[in-house]
Amino acid sequence: MELPRLALVGYGRMGREIESLARRRGFAVTAIFSRSRPLTSVQELTEADVVVDFSVAEAVPHTAQLALQAGKRLVIGTTGWEAYREELRRQTDAWGGGVVYASNFAIGVQLLYHLVQQAARFIARMPDYDIFLHEIHHRHKRDAPSGTARKLAELILRELPRKRTASTATEGPLPEDVLHVSASRGGEVIGTHTVYIDAPGESVELIHRAKSRESFAAGALLAAQWIASRQGFYEFSDVLRALLG
Ligand SMILES: NC(=O)c1ccc[n+]([C@@H]2O[C@H](COP(=O)([O-])OP(=O)(O)OC[C@H]3O[C@@H](n4cnc5c(N)ncnc54)[C@H](OP(=O)(O)O)[C@@H]3O)[C@@H](O)[C@H]2O)c1
């Protein structure tokens, strides 16, 4: 199957990584947009099949509108735009478009999601086993906690009824029904997510460490290839389920 032609929105750490990997793998990159060279019209997307957005949350609605109007598929790796998600789902269906999104396109993080769901289900009947999570990213990152940490919290809350809400608050004792989520920022850490399970006599840690940005770029390219010939609104985990069965 022919590789889709890509337009990139966002040309920072991730945009550059995707361009580099895409070219090495034989994808054509037909246009690149950033804050200093913004996407302003559907005509600018004519040459592309799939728009790949790794920019900033505020830019996502505008990019998505133009991609849908242009009849282009869309892969969104940008984080922090959850408030717009349901509206984009409706718009995608209304336009007959195709979107894949993920706060983390690394395959290893998809595995972590799976393991954490299993772990949360496992301790659901063991009240002595508490669970909490921590993430570390480079000092340039805008959102905190990360989209991946918010997704991990969502999965834990879904599987573990005794945790009713997630919170980043650190003052005072932690109520038993609160899932604590914390974040650190510093240096050039690409991204580390740790889920801790702690009981009186033992502890378990599930850790994902991104060693480079290539794993995110590879997942985004896989999603671009997959969505190029499809319609609908998907999370990356749906794509992997479809591919792996
Ligand atoms: N899903 C994943 O797997 C994954 C992995 C890593 C990061 N991310 C997320 O991806 C996003 C980008 O991360 P990054 O590290 O590449 O950030 P970054 O290095 O700060 O790059 C952001 C890029 O967005 C551009 N931009 C800003 N406003 C824009 C606008 N209105 N229209 C178009 N482009 C605009 C910037 O343009 P200028 O250069 O002109 O300022 C810059 O090129 C973040 O939300 C991050 O959390 C997701």
Side-chain angles (χ1 to χ4, degrees), residues 8-17 32-39 53-60 62-63 76-81 101-106 137-138 140-143 146-148 190 213 215-217 219-220 236:
L8 307 183
V9 178
Y11 196 52
R13 285 171 288 268
M14 276 308 301
R16 286 168 206 273
E17 184 73 36
I32 295 177
F33 305 95
S34 63
R35 190 192 309 271
S36 40
R37 196 222 173 285
L39 169 64
D53 184 310
F54 280 75
S55 61
V56 291
E58 313 87 85
V60 168
H62 172 75
T63 302
I76 308 175
T78 303
T79 54
W81 57 279
Y101 70 93
S103 53
N104 200 312
F105 275 103
H137 278 88
H138 53 85
H140 317 283
K141 187 164 176 60
R142 289 167 156 241
D143 51 334
S146 67
T148 305
I190 294 172
R213 292 186 170 82
S215 54
F216 309 135
F236 186 48

Side-chain angles (χ1 to χ4, degrees), residues 4-229:
R5 296 163 301 168
L6 309 177
L8 307 183
V9 178
Y11 196 52
R13 285 171 288 268
M14 276 308 301
R16 286 168 206 273
E17 184 73 36
I18 290 169
E19 184 199 18
S20 162
L21 188 65
R23 293 202 192 281
R24 276 184 275 143
R25 292 195 174 175
F27 290 78
V29 177
T30 61
I32 295 177
F33 305 95
S34 63
R35 190 192 309 271
S36 40
R37 196 222 173 285
L39 169 64
T40 55
S41 70
V42 291
Q43 287 76 23
E44 291 171 299
L45 296 175
T46 308
E47 303 288 307
D49 302 305
V50 181
V51 178
V52 181
D53 184 310
F54 280 75
S55 61
V56 291
E58 313 87 85
V60 168
H62 172 75
T63 302
Q65 291 293 322
L66 289 185
L68 288 173
Q69 284 170 28
K72 307 301 177 184
R73 299 306 186 237
L74 180 61
V75 171
I76 308 175
T78 303
T79 54
W81 57 279
E82 289 85 350
Y84 172 60
R85 190 189 300 163
E86 288 315 305
E87 191 182 333
L88 180 57
R89 187 191 300 276
R90 282 193 294 278
Q91 289 171 343
T92 304
D93 290 343
W95 283 91
V99 175
V100 180
Y101 70 93
S103 53
N104 200 312
F105 275 103
I107 301 284
V109 163
Q110 301 297 319
L111 174 61
L112 180 67
Y113 289 161
H114 181 73
L115 295 174
V116 167
Q117 271 176 289
Q118 300 287 321
R121 216 172 288 154
F122 192 82
I123 62 168
R125 276 162 288 153
M126 300 179 194
D128 283 351
Y129 286 72
D130 201 7
I131 188 164
F132 53 102
L133 63 107
H134 183 67
E135 57 97 341
I136 310 173
H137 278 88
H138 53 85
R139 62 191 174 79
H140 317 283
K141 187 164 176 60
R142 289 167 156 241
D143 51 334
S146 67
T148 305
R150 289 198 298 273
K151 176 74 186 177
L152 285 164
E154 182 190 314
L155 295 173
I156 294 168
L157 291 176
R158 198 186 296 162
E159 300 294 341
L160 193 59
R162 69 172 175 269
K163 294 287 183 193
R164 296 163 78 89
T165 53
S167 172
T168 56
T170 49
E171 271 183 29
L174 187 77
E176 279 185 14
D177 62 352
V178 173
L179 169 65
H180 196 239
V181 180
S182 57
S184 295
R185 295 287 173 265
E188 299 299 332
V189 179
I190 294 172
T192 300
H193 292 85
T194 308
V195 176
Y196 298 86
I197 296 168
D198 193 82
E202 58 181 341
S203 65
V204 178
E205 294 173 17
L206 298 168
I207 307 175
H208 179 272
R209 271 192 204 93
K211 293 197 281 185
S212 78
R213 292 186 170 82
E214 187 168 325
S215 54
F216 309 135
L221 292 178
L222 180 65
Q225 250 179 294
W226 188 84
I227 197 65
S229 58

